[in-house]
Amino acid sequence: MLRKKQCVAMLLAGGQGSRLYALTSNIAKPAVSFGAKYRIIDFPLSNCINSGIDTVGVLTQYQPLVLNEYVGNGQPWDLDRTFGGVHILSPYEAKTDTSWYKGTANAIYQNIRFMKMYDPEYVLILSGDHIYKMDYDKMLAAHIEAGADCTIACMKVPMKEASRFGILNTNPDGTIYEFEEKPKQPKSDLASMGIYIFTASKLFKYLELDEQDPNSDKDFGKNVLPAMLNAGEKMYSYRFEGYWKDVGTITSLLEANMDLLGTVPNFELRDSDRVIHSRSPLAPPAYVSGEVCNSMIANGCEVEGSVINSVIGTDCVIEKGAVVQDSVLMGKTVVKAGAKVNYAIIDEDVCIGKNAVVGDVKAEACKVEGKTSGITVLGRGITVSDGKKVAAGEIVDKDV
Amino acid sequence: MASTVGVIFTSINDENAAELTKVRSKGSIPYGGRYRLVDFVLSNMVNSGITTVGMLTKNNYQSLMDHLGSGKEWDLARKEGGLILLPPYSDESEILYKNRLEALKGATAFLKKAKEDFVVLADSDAVYKLDYSKVIEEHIAHNADITMVYHEHECGEAPAYILFDTEKDGKVTSIDINAKGKGVRKHYVNVFVARTTYLLNVLQTAIARGLTSFSKDIILPAIKSGKIYGYKLDGYYGNIDSLQAYYKSNMDLLDKNVRQEIFGERDVYTKVNDAPPAKITATAKVTNSLVHDGCLVEGTVENCILFRNVIVGKGTHLKNCIIMSENVIGENCNLTCVVSDKDTSISSGTTLAGCEQKPYFINKGSRI
């Protein structure tokens, strides 16, 4: 029997995420915890299944252990399928030309055979470092209706930030006449979200061409998209409206977590139509008996201290007299009696000793200049000894 | 451990917590903020190394089936064995089974097929931690026919209990069925272990002679043989045999020691629903309560168990309440000692109060 999939998604999850410092020492960026019980990759994976796309290749390269274990057979996202489903695609040894993934385009190129197994008409390219909810099916419908060869999702960004993004210059009908990667003087404020739909035959053709070009960086934004445009292929923009955040830096990661708080948050996860699925841990409900204000608390926590404007991940313990404020605790962290955590991101499995002080109150910490703009970062598995002080803006990746 | 198959009665004694079993069987009563009662016995079995479990159902088992699904959450979705539902089986009469022995007759084919040497039979209406492989070890050491698990506690006036006495080594010497015993007694917790072949023989005899009561017709006569033993269950035992007991056992979870014991060492497996983490807003105050993922708390919550996706409006005060999943409680309500079943909505300004001996119960799906 002939079996095929209309659309296959390819999720680029190999990024090192070097601007997250200690948070990505041992894990790939898409596996970084977010919103108390999620990992970043939950968002694109859930978007796929919520958009009717059930075949997803996850391309991994950097520190894939946690990510592989987390994705597993895809069951939490209903992506465990007999035909299709989620597949981890890591670089492999070939008879000739064995190599790591050398750029986004090369990573996809090396997996052309995977895509061809499903004989797709369209290929959706995604990246694993954004927080958003999106219906890719609508974008696909627009791609098909326009008869496009490539459709790029984009959104308006503030003009002064436009030079950080790939910028689309478009005609009134949505067609793209120019694509500029991080332009110094942007002509438009339409930024590419790194989400592309290609007509499969065109994608394969331009990946082959790009592969043969020795001067290419093997990058979609820098090479493949401009090449298609120059060749006169039909390229359309697709406007996305809604919440979307690149969580590639410490400040944006903290901001995105804070965007979940409040009765009417900037980013709403209570949404029965577009549920974000995750590998939910088997923890009992949180026990709460302390001063908790404007915060998010995941299952398995035992909170007897104070938690203010914070996001507390699964299985954290906040002892009596401890205070956590304006911070993100990713999970399985113990904050002992009398300890204070302010304006910080604390990775999993951290122990903060009695009366230790981590960071400084937000108003003061904000004034600290440095890589993290005053946010204190504690890496995975760290122990902070009793009474120890960790200064605002410090990045800690070993016991102190 | 010795190869063992599990059989769970999910619908025995449904009537003694009638409020909670109107729309479901005993085993699927929601408990502890995220679980169903059956999760405890089933997780105990899985954590004891049992990989084949038959679930005897009776009526109203839709909710149970929905909860158990393929059994994957318990690692029981298997090619060999796994979770097997045993709905009522009837070849002669159209009447559903009335007691344990009749129910077990429906499991004969399942037990005949089982390759395992031992069988653990357990009810699904109690909360406890027990490694059944330890019971089987003792069972083998005693060369027993049946090993009955008991819990020692103050028994009061509950008439439906089976109480028994044992010698020092655990040998059962006498049994009181429907006992009105007072004081600290050995209370049979409806868990027993036998060789599979022994149980099948007993069942065959029972069918041939038309016997109906497991305790009166099987266990009582067998005591003379001296091969019936007791096994002591230490630690927490929450027997859900009334609404009041249900209320108390839920509230017991607010004690750290009980939580540690029940949830600490080994996981309790359950069906997973993806809900975002609980949100406690700037207007909320939460003390001594369990709050599950999906809750949105804007009011005051004191000594409560909140299940998944419960919304508590501003100015509302909940005290000593058990609120099951998908409840929406409006603003400025005042609820004390209320047990609210699933999918209920309570409009703003409502005041309801029960007491610990008689909690105010709200039916599933009510609009108040």
Side-chain angles (χ1 to χ4, degrees), chain B residues 7-206:
Chain B
V7 173
I8 297 176
F9 298 89
T10 62
S11 217
I12 291 280
N13 301 330
D14 276 359
E15 62 290 343
N16 65 18
E19 299 90 339
L20 295 158
T21 53
K22 261 179 216 155
V23 289
R24 54 174 80 89
S25 52
K26 203 78 178 274
S28 65
I29 292 176
Y31 175 87
R34 101 169 272 187
Y35 306 92
R36 303 289 180 134
L37 286 180
V38 73
D39 291 337
F40 294 90
V41 59
L42 197 51
S43 300
N44 280 338
M45 286 192 176
V46 171
N47 288 336
S48 308
I50 296 173
T51 58
T52 304
V53 181
M55 308 282 273
L56 284 162
T57 66
K58 193 173 179 184
N59 29 28
N60 287 343
Y61 57 92
Q62 284 178 13
S63 144
L64 184 78
M65 281 183 68
D66 175 44
H67 180 68
L68 296 171
S70 66
K72 66 171 188 280
E73 323 274 12
W74 297 264
D75 264 345
L76 288 175
R78 305 225 176 180
K79 276 189 175 172
E80 301 276 340
L83 185 76
I84 295 145
L85 278 181
L86 303 168
Y89 179 84
S90 164
D91 50 358
E92 295 145 9
S93 66
E94 284 172 22
I95 305 164
L96 282 179
Y97 64 81
K98 289 190 292 293
N99 59 46
R100 199 174 293 276
L101 191 53
E102 285 177 9
L104 257 185
K105 287 175 191 169
T108 313
F110 167 76
L111 287 168
K112 275 186 181 157
K113 207 177 149 194
K115 298 183 194 108
E116 287 81 356
D117 296 331
F118 294 91
V119 54
V120 175
L121 296 101
D123 283 6
S124 58
D125 56 356
V127 177
Y128 61 95
K129 272 261 153 108
L130 176 61
D131 184 346
Y132 300 119
S133 67
K134 299 240 164 72
V135 186
I136 289 170
E137 273 170 31
E138 273 202 17
H139 181 82
I140 295 170
H142 287 137
N143 193 23
D145 282 339
I146 294 176
T147 300
M148 303 166 74
V149 180
Y150 66 87
H151 189 260
E152 238 171 348
H153 55 98
E154 187 76 35
C155 281
E157 288 285 345
Y161 288 170
I162 295 177
L163 305 177
F164 58 80
D165 299 308
T166 65
E167 289 176 8
K168 258 198 181 144
D169 68 345
K171 190 182 288 171
V172 176
T173 52
S174 70
I175 291 192
D176 289 343
I177 295 165
N178 295 342
K180 285 192 192 288
K182 272 194 176 172
V184 176
R185 295 287 306 271
K186 295 184 166 88
H187 170 197
Y188 172 51
V189 300
N190 290 321
V191 175
F192 81 85
V193 162
R195 279 192 185 269
T196 315
T197 46
Y198 176 86
L199 183 65
L200 279 168
N201 277 336
V202 164
L203 285 177
Q204 244 158 22
T205 317

Side-chain angles (χ1 to χ4, degrees), chain A residues 318-323 334-340 352-356:
Chain A
I318 319 273
E319 292 186 356
K320 259 186 201 146
V323 181
V334 180
V335 184
K336 296 240 165 110
K340 289 192 171 38
I352 297 171
K354 277 184 191 160
N355 303 315

Side-chain angles (χ1 to χ4, degrees), chain B residues 281 283-286 296-301 312-318:
Chain B
T281 67
T283 54
K285 184 164 171 39
V286 182
L296 173 61
V297 182
E298 299 191 81
T300 302
V301 175
V312 182
K314 276 184 199 140
T316 285
H317 192 134
L318 303 184

Side-chain angles (χ1 to χ4, degrees), chain A residues 35-38 75-76 78 80 260-265 267-271 275-299 302 304 312 317, chain B residues 32-35 72-73 253-256 259 263 267-270 272-296 298 305-306 309-311 314:
Chain A
K37 68 176 284 192
Y38 304 94
Q75 182 263 322
D78 272 346
D80 50 335
L260 302 171
L261 299 181
T263 312
V264 186
F267 186 48
E268 180 61 275
L269 291 171
R270 302 174 63 83
D271 180 349
V275 175
I276 302 301
H277 301 283
S278 68
R279 196 172 279 281
S280 288
L282 272 172
Y287 176 78
V288 182
S289 192
E291 191 204 332
V292 178
C293 176
N294 190 36
S295 294
M296 200 170 216
I297 313 269
N299 276 357
E302 296 266 334
E304 294 190 77
I312 311 294
V317 178
Chain B
R34 101 169 272 187
Y35 306 92
K72 66 171 188 280
E73 323 274 12
L253 293 177
L254 297 178
D255 178 337
K256 199 172 202 161
R259 271 203 312 282
F263 303 122
D267 280 327
V268 179
Y269 310 101
T270 188
V272 172
N273 283 289
D274 288 331
K279 230 188 248 187
I280 297 171
T281 67
T283 54
K285 184 164 171 39
V286 182
T287 41
N288 192 38
S289 295
L290 288 181
V291 182
H292 190 274
D293 279 356
C295 288
L296 173 61
E298 299 191 81
I305 313 276
L306 304 187
N309 293 344
V310 169
I311 296 177
K314 276 184 199 140

Side-chain angles (χ1 to χ4, degrees), chain B residues 169-346:
Chain B
D169 68 345
K171 190 182 288 171
V172 176
T173 52
S174 70
I175 291 192
D176 289 343
I177 295 165
N178 295 342
K180 285 192 192 288
K182 272 194 176 172
V184 176
R185 295 287 306 271
K186 295 184 166 88
H187 170 197
Y188 172 51
V189 300
N190 290 321
V191 175
F192 81 85
V193 162
R195 279 192 185 269
T196 315
T197 46
Y198 176 86
L199 183 65
L200 279 168
N201 277 336
V202 164
L203 285 177
Q204 244 158 22
T205 317
I207 292 167
R209 293 201 205 149
L211 306 177
T212 54
S213 165
F214 200 84
S215 44
K216 282 180 196 150
D217 297 334
I218 310 290
I219 294 180
L220 211 49
I223 291 179
K224 281 187 230 116
S225 71
K227 294 181 85 174
I228 310 288
Y229 279 80
Y231 179 95
K232 188 178 178 195
L233 165 66
D234 285 315
Y236 184 79
Y237 173 64
N239 181 27
I240 314 297
D241 59 358
S242 64
L243 179 61
Q244 192 192 334
Y246 172 79
Y247 181 81
K248 182 182 177 303
S249 182
N250 270 284
M251 290 303 169
D252 285 344
L253 293 177
L254 297 178
D255 178 337
K256 199 172 202 161
N257 297 325
V258 175
R259 271 203 312 282
Q260 272 290 322
E261 190 182 331
I262 297 297
F263 303 122
E265 218 168 288
R266 301 298 299 267
D267 280 327
V268 179
Y269 310 101
T270 188
K271 180 182 177 183
V272 172
N273 283 289
D274 288 331
K279 230 188 248 187
I280 297 171
T281 67
T283 54
K285 184 164 171 39
V286 182
T287 41
N288 192 38
S289 295
L290 288 181
V291 182
H292 190 274
D293 279 356
C295 288
L296 173 61
V297 182
E298 299 191 81
T300 302
V301 175
E302 205 182 332
N303 314 329
C304 291
I305 313 276
L306 304 187
F307 284 66
R308 179 169 43 90
N309 293 344
V310 169
I311 296 177
V312 182
K314 276 184 199 140
T316 285
H317 192 134
L318 303 184
K319 191 176 176 186
N320 307 342
C321 293
I322 299 170
I323 312 290
M324 294 190 206
S325 54
E326 314 288 345
N327 263 245
V328 179
I329 300 169
E331 297 180 1
N332 303 313
C333 295
N334 214 323
L335 310 188
T336 310
C337 290
V338 169
V339 176
S340 180
D341 207 324
K342 289 176 70 179
D343 303 319
T344 292
S345 71
I346 296 172

Side-chain angles (χ1 to χ4, degrees), chain A residues 40-354:
Chain A
I40 296 169
I41 197 171
D42 286 330
F43 292 84
L45 284 181
S46 299
N47 285 339
C48 280
I49 198 71
N50 290 338
S51 307
I53 294 169
D54 63 11
T55 308
V56 186
V58 177
L59 292 90
T60 64
Q61 177 154 294
Y62 174 79
Q63 291 283 5
L65 185 67
V66 175
L67 187 63
N68 290 358
E69 169 81 15
Y70 186 72
V71 173
N73 69 348
Q75 182 263 322
W77 305 270
D78 272 346
L79 288 170
D80 50 335
R81 303 290 173 119
T82 44
F83 182 63
V86 68
H87 296 263
I88 297 279
L89 304 171
S90 41
Y92 53 87
E93 191 173 16
K95 214 158 193 177
T96 56
D97 294 338
T98 295
S99 73
W100 294 100
Y101 294 151
K102 287 186 295 272
T104 52
N106 175 258
I108 304 292
Y109 169 79
Q110 289 200 36
N111 288 289
I112 283 182
R113 282 200 303 154
F114 168 79
M115 291 180 276
K116 284 188 172 169
M117 278 184 348
Y118 300 99
D119 188 19
E121 286 156 62
Y122 308 99
V123 175
L124 169 66
I125 309 283
L126 301 168
S127 57
D129 41 13
H130 301 142
I131 302 295
Y132 64 113
K133 288 185 282 187
M134 179 172 176
D135 188 347
Y136 303 135
D137 196 39
K138 279 193 184 150
M139 180 173 165
L140 181 60
H143 177 88
I144 294 169
E145 199 189 315
D149 299 312
C150 171
T151 301
I152 301 173
C154 60
M155 65 183 300
K156 269 188 182 298
V157 293
M159 204 66 193
K160 62 180 193 317
E161 287 179 32
S163 55
R164 284 175 40 214
F165 296 91
I167 293 297
L168 307 182
N169 298 321
T170 59
N171 299 310
D173 67 350
T175 50
I176 301 168
Y177 66 85
E178 193 181 17
F179 185 89
E180 292 181 290
E181 188 65 23
K182 300 190 174 108
K184 286 210 176 73
Q185 258 139 14
K187 292 181 208 127
S188 118
D189 57 356
L190 274 185
S192 162
M193 297 160 66
I195 299 166
Y196 318 121
I197 291 178
F198 289 94
T199 299
S201 54
K202 297 283 180 181
L203 175 68
F204 300 156
K205 179 183 161 190
Y206 283 93
L207 285 178
E208 301 273 5
L209 285 173
D210 186 59
E211 200 52 30
Q212 287 155 20
D213 178 359
N215 298 320
S216 167
D217 290 332
K218 313 281 188 266
D219 185 82
F220 273 100
K222 279 187 219 156
N223 310 108
V224 177
L225 299 177
M228 284 182 79
L229 205 58
N230 290 340
E233 302 290 357
K234 284 171 80 175
M235 305 192 60
Y236 277 78
S237 59
Y238 175 82
R239 280 286 285 277
F240 172 76
E241 269 157 39
Y243 185 90
W244 178 84
K245 192 140 192 146
D246 182 329
V247 286
T249 64
I250 295 291
T251 36
S252 65
L253 183 62
L254 186 73
E255 268 170 31
N257 273 287
M258 294 303 149
D259 283 341
L260 302 171
L261 299 181
T263 312
V264 186
N266 292 338
F267 186 48
E268 180 61 275
L269 291 171
R270 302 174 63 83
D271 180 349
S272 53
D273 294 331
R274 306 195 75 75
V275 175
I276 302 301
H277 301 283
S278 68
R279 196 172 279 281
S280 288
L282 272 172
Y287 176 78
V288 182
S289 192
E291 191 204 332
V292 178
C293 176
N294 190 36
S295 294
M296 200 170 216
I297 313 269
N299 276 357
C301 289
E302 296 266 334
V303 179
E304 294 190 77
S306 299
V307 176
I308 303 148
N309 302 333
S310 295
V311 172
I312 311 294
T314 309
D315 289 335
C316 286
V317 178
I318 319 273
E319 292 186 356
K320 259 186 201 146
V323 181
V324 177
Q325 191 161 357
D326 300 309
S327 296
V328 173
L329 269 56
M330 288 183 170
K332 289 180 263 176
T333 282
V334 180
V335 184
K336 296 240 165 110
K340 289 192 171 38
V341 177
N342 262 301
Y343 204 48
I345 298 183
I346 316 288
D347 206 336
E348 291 170 52
D349 290 310
V350 169
C351 180
I352 297 171
K354 277 184 191 160

